Amino acid sequence: MKTVKKRYVLKFPPQSGDKPLSYVLVKEYDISINILKAEVIPGKRGNLLLELEGKISNIKKGIKYLETHQVECDLLDKKIKLNQNKCINCGNCTAVCFAGALSMHPVTWELQFNKKQCIVCELCLNACPMNLFEIDFHNEN
Ligand code: SF4
Ligand code: SF4
């Protein structure tokens, strides 16, 4: 069976810090984990944006396992769309894209959008004077 990639926002309860939850996902469910963003404050809720790769049945089981340990799991089924034809290459959006998905080409100074690096933080939506970014709720996976 082929593997798929799914992005989830996970919200961990404060007491979950000592549980090897990610270890179980890798060992028991054969899921690869790529942490795209982490906000963890000791003693408080922790939020992680993860990309999980594995068989769809295993990802579902792994998510169920997390939910039984009081981890909230939200499938991230939106993407950022850019209407690049109208871009004036001002570079404003690159200043807010800390994930490195937006950059200026070093020679042509044209905007480059690497969708694979986008973590859908949505900061570019307000940064573009031409309003060229929008949220696409369609999930290709
Ligand atoms: S949504 Fe965030 S990560 Fe994605 S392109 Fe915009 S600023 Fe970059
Ligand atoms: S802010 Fe808008 S117009 Fe400027 S480079 Fe980015 S997408 Fe293009």
Side-chain angles (χ1 to χ4, degrees):
M1 197 191 291
K2 73 176 182 116
T3 60
V4 295
K5 284 183 185 174
K6 297 275 183 189
R7 288 181 175 194
Y8 281 88
V9 177
L10 304 187
K11 294 178 184 160
F12 289 83
Q15 68 275 17
S16 68
D18 54 346
K19 294 198 184 92
L21 299 176
S22 48
Y23 176 82
V24 173
L25 290 188
V26 175
K27 292 302 274 185
E28 299 287 320
Y29 300 109
D30 196 21
I31 295 171
S32 304
I33 301 174
N34 185 12
I35 299 175
L36 301 171
K37 194 177 173 192
E39 290 170 357
V40 183
I41 303 166
K44 302 225 166 137
R45 280 190 88 85
N47 297 330
L48 286 181
L49 173 58
L50 297 181
E51 187 169 73
L52 304 180
E53 183 170 9
K55 290 179 188 162
I56 187 70
S57 55
N58 284 357
I59 291 178
K60 282 183 183 166
K61 285 180 200 160
I63 292 298
K64 230 178 211 163
Y65 169 81
L66 291 175
E67 286 172 343
T68 60
H69 287 78
Q70 286 74 51
V71 179
E72 271 178 46
C73 306
D74 295 318
L75 178 65
L76 195 66
D77 56 359
K78 55 185 181 179
K79 292 178 194 281
I80 292 294
K81 241 175 39 180
L82 166 63
N83 183 356
Q84 201 151 358
N85 291 339
K86 294 192 176 161
C87 176
I88 56 172
N89 298 305
C90 68
N92 276 8
C93 55
T94 63
V96 298
C97 183
F98 60 89
L102 296 164
S103 61
M104 303 308 289
H105 190 281
V107 178
T108 63
W109 289 101
E110 285 180 352
L111 180 70
Q112 304 178 112
F113 181 25
N114 183 348
K115 291 180 185 172
K116 282 190 181 158
Q117 278 183 249
C118 176
I119 59 168
V120 200
C121 68
E122 300 178 18
L123 292 175
C124 52
L125 266 70
N126 290 327
C128 178
M130 307 289 286
N131 287 322
L132 299 183
F133 293 95
E134 59 181 293
I135 298 173
D136 179 1
F137 287 92
H138 176 69
N139 187 6
E140 286 171 10
N141 291 328

